[in-house]
Amino acid sequence: MNLKSLIGSAIKSRRKELKIAQADLQDYAEIGSTALSNLEQGKANISIDKLEKILEVLGLELVVKVKIKG
């Protein structure tokens, strides 16, 4: 699974867990419907600023760490 798909899946899962409709998340995070739909499907390239807003609304954080080769 690629990074876009992982992020999209996490966002969709958390949104559903919180019982937030896509339309409401769009309003809270100030993102368009097509962009959010594509993001949840792992198809979108969005700005870090938009991603940050979405993660904030959903109570998520993005963690970047060194990948250990094994």
Side-chain angles (χ1 to χ4, degrees):
M1 190 177 269
N2 67 32
L3 184 58
K4 283 192 239 180
S5 294
L6 288 171
I7 291 171
S9 179
I11 288 170
K12 183 176 184 177
S13 177
R14 180 66 173 163
R15 177 180 62 76
K16 288 187 173 199
E17 179 182 315
L18 295 174
K19 297 181 178 149
I20 298 174
Q22 267 192 343
D24 293 330
L25 181 54
Q26 292 163 26
D27 290 342
Y28 301 147
E30 300 172 352
I31 187 172
S33 60
T34 302
L36 180 57
S37 178
N38 285 341
L39 176 63
E40 287 188 351
Q41 294 175 42
K43 298 178 182 176
N45 285 319
I46 65 168
S47 71
I48 295 293
D49 292 336
K50 291 286 184 187
L51 180 59
E52 185 177 35
K53 283 184 179 184
I54 292 166
L55 297 179
E56 182 66 30
V57 170
L58 297 176
L60 296 172
E61 66 181 350
L62 182 64
V63 176
V64 178
K65 61 183 182 177
V66 175
K67 188 178 198 177
I68 299 173
K69 296 181 180 183

